Amino acid sequence: MAKKKEALSPAEYGGFVLAFEPTRTEKISEYLNRFAEVSESFSTDDWTFEHCELVLLVRRNPSLQIFAAALMRTMGGGGGTRRTKMRMGDPVLFNPPILSPLPLQSLQLHELVSTAENLKRVDAATWANILSLMKSSRPALATEIDLLVKRRTEDRRLIGDGERINRLAEERDAIGLCLDIAGGDRMGVLRSAKTGNMDRAKSILDLLDAQPIAERSIIEHDAKIFESLCSGKFGSGRFPTSHGREVRTYVTDGTPIETATGVDLLIYQEAYDSFLMLQYKGMHHNTVVPGWSYRVDGSNLDQQLGVMNSIRLAMPAVPATLSAPIRDQRLNDEPFYFKFCERTRPNARDDSLVRGITISAPHLEHFLNQPEATSQGHGRRVGYENCPRYLNNSEFVALTRAGWIGCRTPTSTMIAAILNARSEGRAAIFAVIEGQKELKSQDKGRSYR
């Protein structure tokens, strides 16, 4: 089928009826029942998927049985395999499955079935008929099926360019990182974004289904960690997790989001009594040099590194020793990190973190003094093509979640110095990750989704 340049309208849309070999089918069914999502690979030859597809999953037993309906989104990747990874989620499960002979035999459903190698989009009229018959067969699930059809056309992505979009994308990424570190439901929270309101949003919290923090005692408790928290206006969000931990976030309201020059994320992890600061920088993709990169010359990055060095020298020395309590053991005590982000991609998933280069301040400073920093010409740059050693999102989250990075004894004096040293015109997100008082080995690095 020829590739389409524009998305299909709801009236023109027809989805897919998907079947896999028996073993894969049962694995897909198991994952949808246990985790409400599963990923699969599809051939990319002569095909372009919509941003979000509605699929019906069937098994042959030997007649066709529809055991689930789900939304399917592109994950990206595939490399040289010419296959596209897709994530299927938000399932409506049919137990028992809807059998093909009645009432669907008049549609000759077996002729509409696609495989991962041979895709056949169902025409719009037939698709509408299938959905109608499914709702008649399962009236108790008719509302869920209608909601699934509606959610397919909802676009939660932050698409576009400009400083407002860039700042919202950075704030969204910061919230997502904190949720991942806490083992929370990042996908569920980020998918709740109401992007239709982004022109009026003061921060990303205005777009997410976040519970504002109302208890004054909690705000006062967190203000002891971040001394300047209550010095001005702020928005707040509370994100409980299913295992008893909680992420509390405060977004400063001192700088209009469209004029902010960047975002600073300050994280305090209660379980490890650790403090970490992540500063966002936007990379650009243009024809001056290959790939995504951030130009250092002409920015204030050198000044910021200098301030971080002076604060680091003033920090109380904590000897690195294995005799320290297990909670206090670290790979290093470095609190300062940078994340060089790709600007928003048109095909970015609505629940994904922004891709980029995360690197500690000392490693960044060392890199900028190496020949590789200027190897592309046009001044010093940080990018994929010249900076091969960095942390990706998964590595940074895993190290932070397990308490292996972040300073061990963040004194209020040091934290106040960090806050006062922040560049003017930058937005700040303060995040408190409330953790269990007693660490357990089985919880190490575990994601609770």
Side-chain angles (χ1 to χ4, degrees), residues 169-307:
E170 290 171 356
E171 291 183 355
R172 174 183 171 279
D173 185 80
I175 299 294
L177 279 174
C178 292
L179 289 167
D180 272 359
I181 291 167
D185 183 10
R186 166 174 57 85
M187 292 181 181
V189 171
L190 297 189
R191 286 175 184 172
S192 74
K194 301 175 179 64
T195 54
N197 302 328
M198 62 184 177
D199 289 341
R200 301 185 300 275
K202 294 182 179 180
S203 76
I204 194 64
L205 294 180
D206 292 336
L207 305 182
L208 300 175
D209 289 337
Q211 176 185 355
I213 301 171
E215 293 91 336
R216 194 67 203 173
S217 59
I218 293 179
I219 296 175
E220 291 173 351
H221 171 270
D222 293 345
K224 294 177 182 177
I225 302 171
F226 301 111
E227 286 193 348
S228 67
L229 177 65
C230 295
S231 62
K233 295 181 180 179
F234 58 85
S236 66
R238 194 173 185 176
F239 302 95
T241 68
S242 60
H243 55 281
R245 302 179 83 181
E246 180 175 88
V247 178
R248 297 191 295 273
T249 59
Y250 303 86
V251 182
T252 58
D253 196 18
T255 301
I257 191 168
E258 59 269 14
T259 63
T261 59
V263 170
D264 294 333
L265 171 62
L266 296 94
I267 302 173
Y268 177 72
Q269 279 207 90
E270 183 180 85
Y272 301 101
D273 193 26
S274 70
F275 181 83
L276 185 147
M277 175 179 176
L278 182 69
Q279 190 171 109
Y280 283 82
K281 299 289 187 182
M283 296 194 293
H284 291 274
H285 193 283
N286 52 48
T287 58
V288 176
V289 297
W292 290 90
S293 67
Y294 174 85
R295 178 166 182 168
V296 177
D297 299 317
S299 71
N300 61 351
L301 185 57
D302 289 317
Q303 177 186 355
Q304 292 169 334
L305 288 170
V307 171

Side-chain angles (χ1 to χ4, degrees), residues 76 105 126 446:
Q105 68 176 10
T126 302
R446 175 176 293 179

Side-chain angles (χ1 to χ4, degrees), residues 355-360 383-384 387-393 395:
R355 292 179 58 186
I357 292 173
T358 300
I359 189 170
S360 70
Y384 297 124
C387 183
R389 296 298 303 277
Y390 59 88
L391 299 175
N392 61 29
N393 288 325
E395 292 163 344

Side-chain angles (χ1 to χ4, degrees), residues 316-325 328-334 408:
V318 180
T321 172
L322 292 178
S323 63
D328 292 338
Q329 292 180 9
R330 300 283 188 274
L331 295 177
N332 61 59
D333 285 328
E334 177 57 39
R408 275 183 273 181

